[in-house]
Amino acid sequence: MSSIKIFHFMPDKLNLYGDIGNIIALKQRAKWRNIEVEVIDITDTDQLSLDDCDIFFIGGGSDREQSLATEQLKKIKTQLKDAIEDGMPTLTICGGYQFLGSEYVTPDGTRLEGLNILDIYTESKKDRLIGDIVIESETFGQIVGFENHGGRTYHEYPTLGKVVDGYGNNDTDKKEGIHYKNLLGTYLHGPILPKNHEITDYLLKQACIRKGITFEPEQLDNTVEEAAKQAIIKRLLKAK
Ligand code: GLN
């Protein structure tokens, strides 16, 4: 049986709004393809090597947890940057997404240094961007999720898509997230993967390609997942 390893970064601290559900979705859709998944919880990065990491996952966290987690991430900054450049499938949610940039400025003006892996900048305001969100993505089609963040993120990289309803990266761009190589960064909780099977399969498929293992069947029967997603979209857009 083929197998992949998912590195779950600081699951005890970074698990807002059920982000752990992303791991469950990855495991289940891998299982349906006869791919075994080993999840490795990362709480200390001192001796960590990303050499056999197939998918790296970072969930969201409050400002306090975010600064604690940044200290751990700093120790693997070069490894993480190199792995992202090499195409390691990576999913980062909200606080996890903000970490990748140069800094995160809190509502009281405190500057939390980021990893500076990518040219991303985030500043936070007291009024939060909260609610359900619908995105139109060229790569993934319609994406749905829930967002709750004070941070406004700015960058020039390709994004996950255009915001149809909701906020996304900030109050002005009408774009959501980042898609750089096989790195996906997003403000979407919900959690994002169970609600959006296309993104789950994308991460799994890239991991399989990179590891040289078969990703079959390419398509699963997504009737139930699609019905659930369309029900959410219909409800949200109708409410407007
Ligand atoms: N602290 C960050 C913000 O409010 C991240 C929150 C989150 O991960 N949901 O912008």
Side-chain angles (χ1 to χ4, degrees):
M1 198 186 199
S2 306
S3 69
I4 58 168
K5 283 191 180 143
I6 300 176
F7 282 28
H8 187 180
F9 181 73
M10 295 189 100
D12 54 329
K13 298 220 161 37
L14 303 174
N15 180 30
L16 275 181
Y17 316 113
D19 284 342
I20 186 117
N22 293 314
I23 298 286
I24 297 169
L26 285 165
K27 277 172 86 171
Q28 187 58 49
R29 294 185 74 85
K31 192 173 162 195
W32 283 332
R33 295 181 168 97
N34 277 321
I35 301 166
E36 201 180 316
V37 174
E38 188 183 346
V39 180
I40 296 159
D41 290 348
I42 310 293
T43 47
D44 183 355
T45 54
D46 269 340
Q47 305 295 325
L48 186 69
S49 160
L50 296 181
D51 286 354
D52 57 351
C53 173
D54 299 308
I55 299 178
F56 196 81
F57 172 64
I58 313 179
S62 67
D63 290 358
R64 185 183 159 273
E65 286 151 344
Q66 211 165 319
S67 45
L68 294 172
T70 312
E71 292 311 308
Q72 290 294 331
L73 274 177
K74 272 186 191 155
K75 296 190 253 174
I76 53 162
K77 174 185 157 161
T78 310
Q79 273 198 75
L80 188 58
K81 185 174 169 45
D82 290 350
I84 289 169
E85 289 298 334
D86 189 55
M88 176 177 72
T90 304
L91 176 65
T92 63
I93 313 289
C94 201
Y97 165 37
Q98 297 167 348
F99 283 141
L100 303 172
S102 55
E103 62 181 351
Y104 173 79
V105 184
T106 67
D108 67 6
T110 309
R111 307 186 100 80
L112 301 178
E113 199 190 329
L115 292 177
N116 216 357
I117 285 180
L118 294 170
D119 196 5
I120 298 176
Y121 167 79
T122 302
E123 63 183 8
S124 187
K125 293 185 189 165
K126 275 211 175 80
D127 61 315
R128 302 182 67 79
L129 308 180
I130 306 174
D132 294 306
I133 174 167
V134 181
I135 302 161
E136 190 62 52
S137 161
E138 277 178 26
T139 313
F140 303 112
Q142 285 173 310
I143 303 175
V144 294
F146 166 76
E147 59 184 328
N148 182 354
H149 50 109
R152 275 72 169 166
T153 297
Y154 303 90
H155 65 76
E156 299 292 326
Y157 298 97
T159 61
L160 273 188
K162 282 194 212 128
V163 176
V164 178
D165 192 41
Y167 300 99
N169 282 340
N170 52 60
D171 327 63
T172 48
D173 294 354
K174 285 284 166 199
K175 299 274 177 63
E176 210 295 313
I178 184 172
H179 186 171
Y180 173 74
K181 301 200 173 186
N182 289 325
L183 162 79
L184 305 177
T186 177
Y187 272 115
L188 270 62
H189 299 279
I192 184 173
L193 295 186
K195 285 186 177 170
N196 300 281
H197 60 89
E198 302 88 340
I199 305 179
T200 319
D201 283 356
Y202 172 85
L203 291 166
L204 288 172
K205 185 175 176 183
Q206 298 310 317
C208 289
I209 292 172
R210 199 156 170 266
K211 204 169 180 189
I213 61 179
T214 316
F215 179 78
E216 266 177 13
E218 175 88 24
Q219 286 297 327
L220 297 169
D221 176 0
N222 297 313
T223 315
V224 174
E225 289 83 348
E226 273 307 315
K229 186 192 281 197
Q230 287 313 318
I232 298 171
I233 292 172
K234 208 169 138 195
R235 178 167 51 78
L236 290 182
L237 299 185
K238 209 170 121 189
K240 293 284 142 180

